[in-house]
Amino acid sequence: MVHAVHLPRDELQHKFGLSSRLVARLGALMAKGLGFSESVLELAAVERDMAELLLSTGILEQADALTTWKLEHLARELGLEEFVERNPLCVLEQPDARILALMDEVDAEAVWDEQPDHSAETPLAVAEVAATPAGPGVAGLVADEDVDELKLTILTSAEPKRKIEAIRKLSYARLSPNEKGKLLVSALADDSTEVRVEATRALGPLGLDPDLAVQIRELFQGEMSEKRIAARVLGRFAGEGTFLERAVTFVVVSKALGEEPFKGSRTELLEALRELSDVMVADEGFASEAAAQLVTVLADSDQTGRALARDVLARLTQASPEKMGEMLWKRLPDIDEPVVRAAFLFAIGPHLPSGIDVEEFARLVIAESLRFSELDPECWQLRVLAAGLGDDAVAPAVKMMSAVPPHARMSLFRLIDLLCRGRDLSDKSYRAVGEAVVNLLAAGSDAERVALLGLACLTESRFSSNTRQRIAAELLRELDSALMEKTLEQIDEALISLGPATLAPIIDYVKKERETPSSLRALRALGMVVTQMSSPSERERGLIESAANTCLKLISSAPPDGAPMIVLGQLCSTGLLKDRTLQRAAKLLRDSLRTSPFPFQAVEGLGWLASSPEISLQLRVEIANSLLRLFESKLPEELLRERQTVDGTVLDIGPEAKAYNEMLPAAIDGLRRICLASNADSALRERIVKSFLEKWRLLNEWEEVWGPANVAALADALGDIASDPSLSRDDRTRIAGALAGSLGRLSVVRALTRILLLDGDSVELGEVARSVAETLLGKRLAERGLAPEEREAILGALGAIASRRALGRRSHSLPRLRARIVSALEGALREHLGVAHEWLFRLKESDALSEFQRREIGRRLSRFQRVVPR
């Protein structure tokens, strides 16, 4: 007679490998009086169609009155006719229950009932062993001498049927659960799907979650969409399961990764594998297998797959740096694929094992970086890895210089540039890098020298003074052959960045070349170097004096360029020249205003000279008067003239244009320097400010017309003067009020931002600030087509205004005004404008705002902390 299975829920799960969901449905059906034969339950564990039938709503609704006919009708409705044809089902009516069984079980009843019982004298057949439930009372049914053969069959047999028989017998062998588990886990990696499924089923009695068994079968037997779902569920077991379940998951995932049918679910499999680093590290065989599979994935995946595989390797080496690092390092010589080699190096690098020579590792990283194009992410990632090795990477990189082609040489220099920027190196390393730079400038190709001009390591501040002098000498030599203006500008910038070390080479070069365009260009660079110097040494003071004498000689010999006059003024502004040299310079520059073909350069030179702390007040006043006359004079309006020629009408640009392009900016800048000089006379500064403000009025009322560049220069000068802490509060307020009438100009908004950050307690300046805020909030921010730089400047001005303690006399309106400014800044956060975040952060810490306002700003900032970078 066919009997219904009566087992507790947990035992039902473990014995048949059923999911928790399916067991819950079986319990609901049993509660309605429907039982199940053992064969039906076994079928439900391996056939999705059987499980679908049992989980259907129809069978639950009809369970208390289910018949064979109703069951067949329900199967047709579910589209399971083919399954029922292969596995005919029936409902047996018995006195105590109805039982869902297979027709084969009913047909076989008579045969089993007629056979005599020889169980006492006949050994159990393999088929009977397979059907016998595993449990504590059955261990030892397999003779001890046969256990070794079972192990050998499971581990080495090429016949799936023999393996399946051995797995079934294994349940009855006298072995510990741990030994059985290891053998069954190894069977999960078998090439045969049937063997894997049988091993999964056999693991149930050892504690394997039935849900995991179901997902493994889905992974091996399901369609691609089902494989992907199963792989995702396996990821959950990888992170949360018992150690046995996670070990089983590893074997399954590792096996699937290496097979073509699972390529579509590779992302999900890698995500599962990522959670299993401790399982892999615990078993050397697991770790080796994982590395082998990841080699395949890295060589045959897109960027997403490679990134996941690299993450798995990184976690693996992080879990056991010494063990895994050594293993990956030993495997490297056998790998040819650059992407795989790079991934191994990425994994080893952050936790370099003690047994690996750091310099040898650095050499290999650098060599691998040269195998990639600079457009490949691996190239830059390897450079960053090498840069993290510091001094150990410098020597290999420098040694490779002479052994690689030109394009690779520049790649090495870009790596060295990264090394110099990223961390402090030893003096030995800086000497090696400096020598490499000098050698490339001296013997490299034109293309290499030009490329080197764009790297920061060319002007490394930690090079010795001697090295920087040699670099400067090579750059000066490059001035003679450079043709592109961009290259010449890069040389200028490099000479200036090299600092005081360039003084001697430039002076020698100018004395040798005299009045060539390249020597005058070098002289201009020297002037910029001198203006940036602080606390020069005695030797440097002597060089500055020598440079001034050279400029005096050049000016006296009528050079083809006005550069010596500008540089002479810059040298005088340092306050380091002898009084006799200073007097000669002042006389020569003032005379050049009348006699030189370059009077505007003389104006600029005088502006620099007048800011010197060493000149007398009388001389400064005389120079200021000369500059004010030029500044206040009405410039010619007619710059273009028509001229008739045989070819038609030609427009000539008259010499008056130079007054706009050269004289005005030079005069404005010179007067600005006089106002900002450390020992500036207050009366003289008052006169210059008055002249500037009158000119600003004329420009705003269109009584005079200047070009945008000169108007911006005047606004900048007014902003700088008003930002000087030594200026009186009244003058600062006057300048701010004058500028506030021209908020349509970007230069004015920027100048006012600098001014309004000062005198936070000034009520008068606060009135100007409040008026500016109202205009910016009401009109400027509402303008269409506002350029990003204008919007940022306006927001910066509003932030400066909101941070002031005093904003005029109408104190009752201050909270509302500040609230409007904060709302405007918050709105800019959504546009990812960094200036908005910066000012909101500053306002949150400002004591000019109330505690409530600061708390509210903090709340608003927290909403955007993931969106806007600090």
Side-chain angles (χ1 to χ4, degrees), residues 437-468:
V437 169
V438 172
N439 291 339
L440 187 65
L441 286 171
S445 66
D446 291 344
E448 287 176 315
R449 291 199 297 272
V450 169
L452 188 57
L453 288 171
L455 301 183
C457 66
L458 174 67
T459 56
E460 173 57 55
S461 61
R462 287 160 289 192
F463 287 160
S464 67
S465 179
N466 178 262
T467 299
R468 281 181 281 147

Side-chain angles (χ1 to χ4, degrees), residues 59-74:
I59 198 169
L60 184 62
E61 291 172 348
Q62 302 180 47
D64 53 359
L66 189 66
T67 63
T68 302
W69 181 85
K70 288 180 179 179
L71 183 67
E72 290 174 351
H73 182 71
L74 178 61

Side-chain angles (χ1 to χ4, degrees), residues 1 26 53 76 144 151 156 214 247 275 330 357 385 426 493 541 580 674-675 687 772 795 813 819:
M1 179 181 290
L26 291 173
L53 180 61
R76 283 196 298 274
D144 290 344
K151 291 181 180 179
T156 64
V214 171
E275 304 297 325
K330 288 175 183 176
D357 180 71
L385 178 59
S426 65
E493 291 171 6
R541 287 169 179 262
R580 185 182 61 179
I674 292 172
C675 287
R687 185 181 164 198
V772 168
L795 291 167
S813 63

